[in-house]
Amino acid sequence: MSHGEVRPGRSRPVVVRYPDGPVEAVMEADALDAMSDVDVMLVRGPLFGVAAQSPEDAPRWRVVVPVTAGSPQEARDSLNSWLWFRAKDEAGSRAERRALLAGVARLEKEPADELTVQGTRYRVVRAEEYAGSGRDGIEQPRATDPEPAVPDWEHSGHDRIDDQLVLDPQEPVTPTHAAERLALRALVYDGSRFPEEVCRDSRLIRESHPDVLLLPPAFRVVEKDGIGWKTGSALHASAHEARKTLDFSLTWFEPRQQGLIPWDLPDRTVDARAVAAESDEATAAALAEYIRAADRLRTERANQIEVHGTVHRICRARRLLRWGPDGPEGPRPSDTDTHLPDKLHPFLDEDGVVHFDHDDEA
């Protein structure tokens, strides 16, 4: 077999490398401690993104749309936009622009999970989101997860998850990473809570895509006001970005949701800190609890807070992506969409001119 070629149903060997230097050694020890504390793995469900492969990069793929979407069509829509803006802003010739726009046209009309544009393959890829849970419940960020030296609390920043991520099934990994990959090869959906077609697909994919790649950890806010945890935010690239989202929720969104701050304030930047000083005693007291919790996020880098009976926790989420002889897994037949393909952008001609009043039916 050639380099990287694997027969159907056969797994690639996992190449193990040992930590290189004291920093990696500490991270590996931290990962080992976290693994030993896990009693159960909580599987949230599938996420979708887009990966690209140029001929010279095989068998590697590069993520061009973050693997964070809740349905295949959301990822297709993101690919539609990604190709359209490349045609608008980056195409170096009419021929290149026509090729990009041909991909856009196809994505506007059909739920295409793979297409080739100028020799580069684009594929909607599927990952499984999960998290470990142990004695203290669902896993929080680890001490060795990256944190900014100077935290930025501005809410206008852009969170770049999976930025420039390369998917390489042959890249050497640390011992704990290898152990997790090997353990997760057997993962399937099972039990009466899942539809039979979902269970069937998960059994079949284990044979057709026997390998597992682990994407970088991501972080989201989870909430509990009774039994069990529920999702409280989107995925973020770092624990700090998840804290920023929680800070915004506590000081801006939740006070409005609870009627403590009017939704129609002319100044949309006004938050609980600004309103509390000018409010009546009851409102100020209610807002003070949100403010104290948000201050803990900022001063202590807290990963769990409780506000008005709801526990908010920063969860360390993991994502596994199955891999077969032809690369990463795409959507399964049992995966569902919430909407159909549609036109997302105005007409763009081959010269790069946008026509807002163009009638496609003309």
Side-chain angles (χ1 to χ4, degrees), residues 159 161 217-221 233-243 245:
D159 189 13
I161 193 167
F219 303 85
R220 69 162 81 238
V221 180
S233 81
L235 283 177
H236 294 283
S238 69
H240 176 66
E241 291 294 334
R243 291 189 204 104
T245 292

Side-chain angles (χ1 to χ4, degrees), residues 307-342:
V307 185
H308 294 300
T310 298
V311 177
H312 305 264
R313 174 177 288 194
I314 308 301
C315 161
R316 189 182 201 270
R318 305 301 307 277
R319 295 168 296 161
L320 70 90
L321 187 150
R322 287 199 171 273
W323 200 278
D326 191 39
E329 179 191 4
R332 300 175 184 177
S334 55
D335 292 326
T336 58
D337 285 313
T338 57
H339 62 283
L340 297 173
D342 202 356

Side-chain angles (χ1 to χ4, degrees), residues 6-254:
V6 178
R7 295 190 184 96
R10 296 284 298 276
S11 297
R12 288 179 173 84
V14 177
V15 182
V16 179
R17 65 172 177 81
Y18 288 91
D20 180 17
V23 174
E24 262 203 355
V26 171
M27 293 177 69
E28 183 70 356
D30 196 20
L32 185 60
D33 288 343
M35 289 179 64
S36 64
D37 186 54
V38 171
D39 297 325
V40 64
M41 188 178 70
L42 307 175
V43 179
R44 181 178 179 272
L47 297 169
F48 303 88
V50 179
Q53 183 191 58
S54 56
E56 61 270 19
D57 288 338
R60 299 175 183 85
W61 292 69
R62 177 173 53 89
V63 174
V64 296
V65 171
V67 188
T68 58
S71 73
Q73 188 56 46
E74 290 178 57
R76 296 182 201 112
D77 289 346
S78 295
L79 177 58
N80 181 328
S81 291
W82 193 82
L83 294 172
W84 190 89
F85 280 104
R86 279 198 62 195
K88 174 179 174 290
D89 300 327
E90 301 177 27
S93 66
R94 285 183 169 187
E96 182 181 0
R97 189 172 288 112
R98 279 196 298 268
L100 291 164
L101 292 175
V104 171
R106 184 178 171 194
L107 289 164
E108 289 175 345
K109 296 178 175 63
E110 62 176 285
D113 291 326
E114 182 163 337
L115 67 157
T116 300
V117 178
Q118 291 193 309
T120 297
R121 299 169 69 189
Y122 296 91
R123 177 180 296 175
V124 176
V125 297
R126 182 190 197 277
E128 209 73 70
E129 182 185 350
Y130 66 99
S133 182
R135 289 167 296 178
D136 190 36
I138 194 167
E139 186 180 8
Q140 300 178 50
R142 298 175 185 173
T144 51
D145 287 326
E147 295 278 4
V150 180
D152 170 21
W153 291 97
E154 292 295 324
H155 296 293
S156 57
H158 208 46
D159 189 13
R160 300 178 67 86
I161 193 167
D162 294 338
D163 188 34
Q164 301 297 315
L165 178 62
V166 174
L167 306 175
D168 184 357
Q170 300 175 29
E171 181 181 8
V173 295
T174 63
T176 55
H177 192 119
E180 190 169 359
R181 277 178 60 172
L182 291 171
L184 290 169
R185 282 179 172 177
L187 176 68
V188 294
Y189 285 97
D190 194 18
S192 58
R193 60 176 292 208
F194 300 109
E196 172 51 33
E197 58 269 24
V198 170
C199 297
R200 181 189 64 245
D201 284 351
S202 71
R203 292 191 297 267
L204 292 173
I205 211 70
R206 189 172 58 177
E207 299 301 318
S208 62
H209 293 70
D211 293 317
V212 163
L213 263 68
L214 301 183
L215 304 184
F219 303 85
R220 69 162 81 238
V221 180
V222 293
E223 301 172 352
K224 181 169 66 173
D225 56 7
I227 299 174
W229 296 93
K230 61 182 180 181
T231 298
S233 81
L235 283 177
H236 294 283
S238 69
H240 176 66
E241 291 294 334
R243 291 189 204 104
K244 282 172 63 174
T245 292
L246 181 53
D247 176 84
F248 177 79
S249 177
L250 294 174
T251 60
W252 195 96
F253 180 79
E254 279 297 324

Side-chain angles (χ1 to χ4, degrees), residues 273-337:
R273 295 181 179 89
V275 173
E278 301 178 359
S279 299
D280 59 72
E281 185 175 344
T283 300
L287 289 173
E289 188 166 349
Y290 287 114
I291 295 168
R292 283 193 297 270
D295 286 345
R296 284 193 59 210
L297 294 175
R298 295 191 175 217
T299 60
E300 303 174 25
R301 288 183 173 174
N303 291 319
Q304 179 168 306
I305 55 176
E306 182 172 351
V307 185
H308 294 300
T310 298
V311 177
H312 305 264
R313 174 177 288 194
I314 308 301
C315 161
R316 189 182 201 270
R318 305 301 307 277
R319 295 168 296 161
L320 70 90
L321 187 150
R322 287 199 171 273
W323 200 278
D326 191 39
E329 179 191 4
R332 300 175 184 177
S334 55
D335 292 326
T336 58
D337 285 313

